[in-house]
Amino acid sequence: MKSKLQVCAVALSMGAAAVACLCAAPAWAQAVPDNGRETNAAAAGWPERAVRGAKGMVASDEQIASRVGVDILKKGGNAVDAAVAVSFALAVVEPAAGNIGGGGFTLVRLADGRAGFVDYREIAPGKASRDMYVRADGTLDEEGSTIGYRSVAVPGTVAGLELALKTYGTMKLADVMAPAIRLAEEGFPVSEKLARELEEERRDLQRFSWSGKIFLNDGKMYKPGDILRQPALAATLRRIAKNGSAEFYRGETARTLVQEMTGQGGLITLDDLVNYKPKIREVLRAKYRVGGDEWEVIAAPPPSSGGVAMIEALNMLQDTELKGWEDAESVHMTAEAMRRVFADRAAYLADPDFAKVPVQGLTDPCYAKELAATINPQHASSSQTVRAGIPHTCGTRAGGANSTSAAPPVIASFGEGPHTTHFSVVDAAGNAAATTTTLNDSYGSHVATSAGFLLNDEMDDFTTQPGVPNKLFGLIQSEANAIAPEKRPLSSMTPTILVRNGKLSFVTGSPGGPRIISATLLSVLNWMRLGMDAQAAINAPRFHHQWMPDALRVEPAFSEAVARELEARGHKVTQVGHIGLVNAIGIDPRTGERLGAADPRDHGAAEGY
Ligand code: DON
């Protein structure tokens, strides 16, 4: 490691604190002017500047949804009112990932400093069991957990959005749902992106009659510019707006869902729906000093693995001088941190209501220091020899070098292209919401109900077979994430909020399965450590390492020369499509303006005022 510094982090997680200090101003602490060096914007025709707004901002995958959020803000709604409105709007205009049949997380930080994490992750149905996707011959039924009725977990979105609104919002559910109802009823123009996606998903969508009817226009297919009306969804949204989440979990919608599941292999019962409970969880917090500024990272607790991974990686990189992603050593050190974080994820992360997750140890700076010491600054480690560590807090050193996590088998699959959606909201008062929501795969299980919405395939996020990578993301996961009734599958969704010198500074998050963690981490490093401006932090080329497979994935815009240098250091570099879709908002520290930085990789849009 190159650091000439003595740097210390203050990591606070779940109430535990450990303190350290920064003794000299590091080179990476200097704000780097946005000189375009870190962006690939020019080449791609991407925006080089963030959208500026004096008061409020929404950055999401869909311009229509971002506008819905801004309209709510202009009407006096706060960031959470807008976030709930945007979520429902995305359930209409971004059917690949926006949903009422899935789940998600909303991280909230209010202007007065209070924060909370709304967890509306799906749960396994009561009839689910550990080996439900393992065939009699011992092989994994990969289709079972990814497509069709058996892959569906009990949806959490409607209950979660209602809870978020009641806890942090100011408006009535009917008022924040009104724009979504209008979009479903009157329709909206099909974009090129949506038409292309529906064509790509045609084979799987046409297997389910309501999916074919709604999204494939009964086989006639939608072209760009066609109007997509969803009357069944509009009727369901109207009932929810009138009766609240009770409609979804015990009303007509619930009965329809259960009736359609029965006889098709689906496991969800009325009891499962009635018993679903979203939760407000304590956020994870970590503090850092960077170039004279005090930063606080507010992150997602389990059942997300994202916040733990984010803090563990940031802690590990504390003493590393980061120069940017044109510098092979900076990429190498960050990739090695990712490798170790994902090894720990595989061993320890799971639903905290079912497993004891060592959050304090994993996010402790002393533990990170030990892990960082195992990184060879010149040469790549091998994932076959990197195992999960033994997490512990300062002064409670555990013995032994490695945990009990098993040596992983070779993993062949790594999902490409599935979808989830992240959006960020900041209001005029400085309240912020970061929401990541998903059906898991693009179009989830591909099953739509006659009530007009798609159902998730979140069951694939469990350890579908211990020791075997899951179908969509090739992730090795532990017994702690095994399937059990009412358990939440482990998630990588990583909504994150940064505070600088006590003031809101950056709101971020991404889709991308495990790549979520890397994409969000890089956005945070770009903003906090490299001093990029908001849009540059989103445009900069990304890379991802998830321990297994032992591959360093890089985006097409990643520097060829750096890729070769990394290969010389022993990394197996492979090029993939885009890594994540980060829709973030930065706050200009001088003017307080909101800087909406949507991800141009797939037509994200920021709207502000
Ligand atoms: O919760 C998770 O980690 C996954 N279900 C997210 C899936 C995802 O991001 C797919 N997309 N890009």
Side-chain angles (χ1 to χ4, degrees), residues 121 418-420 438 440 458 461 473 491-493 511-513 516:
R121 184 72 164 160
H419 216 342
T420 285
T438 190
N440 197 21
E458 219 69 59
D461 274 347
F473 306 116
S491 175
S492 298
M493 292 187 287
I516 290 173

Side-chain angles (χ1 to χ4, degrees), residues 327-352:
D327 171 54
E329 183 152 336
S330 299
V331 178
H332 166 74
M333 294 304 290
T334 306
E336 290 300 325
M338 289 174 181
R339 187 197 304 272
R340 283 154 181 79
V341 158
F342 272 94
D344 277 352
R345 181 195 189 278
Y348 297 115
L349 270 295
D351 181 349

